[in-house]
Amino acid sequence: MDKETFDAKTEMTEEEQEINGEGDVTDAKPDRKGRFFLFGSKKQDGKSHEKGESDESHYRIVSPTFQYKMSHRRMGKCIIINNKNFAKDTGMNVRNGTDRDAGELFKCFKSLGFDVVIYNDQTCKNMEQLLKQVSEEDHSDSSCFACILLSHGEEGLIYGTDGPMSIKTMTSLFRGDICMSLVGKPKLFFIQACRGSDFDEGIQTDSGPPNDTLETDANPTQKIPVEADFLFAYSTVPGYYSWRNPGQGSWFVQALCNVFNEFGKQLEIMQILTRVNYMVATRFESWSEDPRYSEKKQIPCMVSMLTKELYFN
């Protein structure tokens, strides 16, 4: 294909891509690697791998001593910040497909028992104030807390509608020395955003001491690290793009909701996220007539400071 033809294709809007039901885009500035058009190519094996497994494959040895207490009156709050439209001076495109992500996540976490609220198109100041207010609430009757960020991003940064801010600014509001009512309880952050401008080319393979008498969430006479009991589930590893389809939603959120909906009340959180990693790694791939952007892959990344196993049952 000659350059003029390629340039014409790059001018297709995301709205047109969504109507056509094709086209994967990244949650990053459009001019990082030049403008380009990507077609989605999701592998069609569906859930066959999961369905073929026996029930015994889900069993594991568990001990209440090593599990988070999930018997509070409420599961807890789940805050979804869904940023779709951005100020022109940020250089960020409209994130078509993110409303589908937010809707699927709302249903998914609602079914797990969370009190879910979606906040659309938030500025940096609004995001910080919103989470600060939540962190100052009394979570004593909650088992845990979840926050989902859907936006453009860079390594360590998430975009409000008016520009970037540090992810740490928001997550630190829930540290043990700041949000006392969540001490000893899991604090979960799911982040759908780019973390850089690198592509994953992929590669071909030929293989496929606790105290059991405690009843409280944390021992009040024992120090625990203020950074303990956090889990960060990123859509991609540091330095890389994160892919989103304007019609179907982001690869990461599609996989996350798929696994949660099927196994959310059976498996431990790290098992769930490992299956999400597998699904994104094996069932999604980009394609472009420009070979520079063809057959790209993605792998999510989890960073856990959890101190116990977490089951949503």
Side-chain angles (χ1 to χ4, degrees):
M1 181 177 67
D2 59 37
K3 183 179 186 299
E4 288 186 2
T5 304
F6 176 73
D7 288 342
K9 283 186 176 291
T10 64
E11 295 304 316
M12 178 179 284
T13 66
E14 287 194 345
E15 288 80 4
E16 292 170 328
Q17 295 174 30
E18 184 166 355
I19 291 173
N20 294 335
E22 57 187 7
D24 290 323
V25 294
T26 59
D27 282 329
K29 287 185 177 179
D31 58 350
R32 279 181 171 170
K33 293 276 188 177
R35 292 175 60 82
F36 52 90
F37 174 65
L38 291 168
F39 297 92
S41 179
K42 177 181 174 183
K43 298 184 179 180
Q44 299 297 318
D45 49 353
K47 300 178 182 178
S48 58
H49 296 300
E50 308 292 354
K51 292 294 187 184
E53 296 176 358
S54 65
D55 291 340
E56 286 79 5
S57 66
H58 305 313
Y59 297 158
R60 63 186 303 194
I61 299 174
V62 295
S63 167
T65 301
F66 291 99
Q67 293 181 34
Y68 283 108
K69 177 184 176 183
M70 302 299 286
S71 57
H72 294 79
R73 187 170 66 85
R74 298 188 303 152
M75 175 67 74
K77 277 195 170 183
C78 174
I79 302 298
I80 301 176
I81 296 179
N82 177 39
N83 289 341
K84 178 178 180 179
N85 304 289
F86 299 83
K88 187 175 181 180
D89 59 7
T90 65
M92 294 296 179
N93 285 334
V94 176
R95 298 183 62 253
N96 290 308
T98 190
D99 289 336
R100 176 161 183 163
D101 281 349
E104 292 298 318
L105 287 163
F106 180 91
K107 291 185 291 184
C108 176
F109 279 78
K110 195 79 172 176
S111 70
L112 292 175
F114 284 91
D115 300 319
V116 188
V117 184
I118 299 176
Y119 297 89
N120 294 314
D121 290 342
Q122 300 293 301
T123 64
C124 293
K125 182 178 180 180
N126 287 347
M127 289 195 296
E128 183 174 3
Q129 288 181 340
L130 167 64
L131 291 182
K132 185 175 188 296
Q133 180 180 345
V134 174
S135 72
E136 292 172 349
E137 295 175 1
D138 185 2
H139 300 269
S140 299
D141 62 350
S142 296
S143 295
C144 64
F145 169 74
C147 177
I148 304 171
L149 304 176
L150 309 173
S151 190
H152 289 297
E154 300 175 26
E155 177 54 28
L157 302 175
I158 193 80
Y159 271 75
T161 57
D162 55 346
M165 69 177 295
S166 171
I167 294 175
K168 187 75 171 178
T169 299
M170 293 185 286
T171 61
S172 63
L173 295 169
F174 297 89
R175 288 179 11 157
D177 57 344
I178 297 175
C179 184
M180 299 296 292
S181 59
L182 283 174
V183 169
K185 300 177 181 180
K187 296 163 277 283
L188 315 175
F189 288 84
F190 301 87
I191 303 169
Q192 165 58 43
C194 283
R195 304 180 71 186
S197 57
D198 291 336
F199 288 119
D200 190 327
E201 303 291 340
I203 188 169
Q204 293 296 322
T205 67
D206 54 6
S207 67
N211 183 342
D212 59 9
T213 64
L214 294 179
E215 294 294 333
T216 57
D217 300 303
N219 188 344
T221 63
Q222 179 185 23
K223 282 187 177 180
I224 64 172
V226 296
E227 301 283 1
D229 304 301
F230 279 89
L231 173 69
F232 301 97
Y234 295 93
S235 60
T236 190
V237 291
Y240 284 83
Y241 277 121
S242 184
W243 296 97
R244 170 177 41 84
N245 184 283
Q248 300 298 316
S250 63
W251 297 0
F252 174 63
V253 173
Q254 288 181 60
L256 186 69
C257 291
N258 185 298
V259 178
F260 261 126
N261 287 338
E262 189 162 1
F263 302 106
K265 295 184 179 180
Q266 296 172 260
L267 302 181
E268 200 273 331
I269 186 66
M270 299 307 288
Q271 289 180 300
I272 290 171
L273 293 178
T274 299
R275 294 194 182 205
V276 172
N277 281 3
Y278 175 81
M279 184 173 290
V280 174
T282 60
R283 302 186 187 180
F284 294 89
E285 187 173 287
S286 67
W287 182 86
S288 171
E289 292 186 16
D290 185 327
R292 293 176 299 171
Y293 311 117
S294 185
E295 300 178 348
K296 305 307 178 190
K297 302 292 289 183
Q298 178 179 322
I299 183 68
C301 174
M302 43 190 159
V303 180
S304 175
M305 282 74 78
L306 298 181
T307 57
K308 297 182 180 181
E309 295 179 345
L310 172 58
Y311 291 88
F312 295 105
N313 54 4

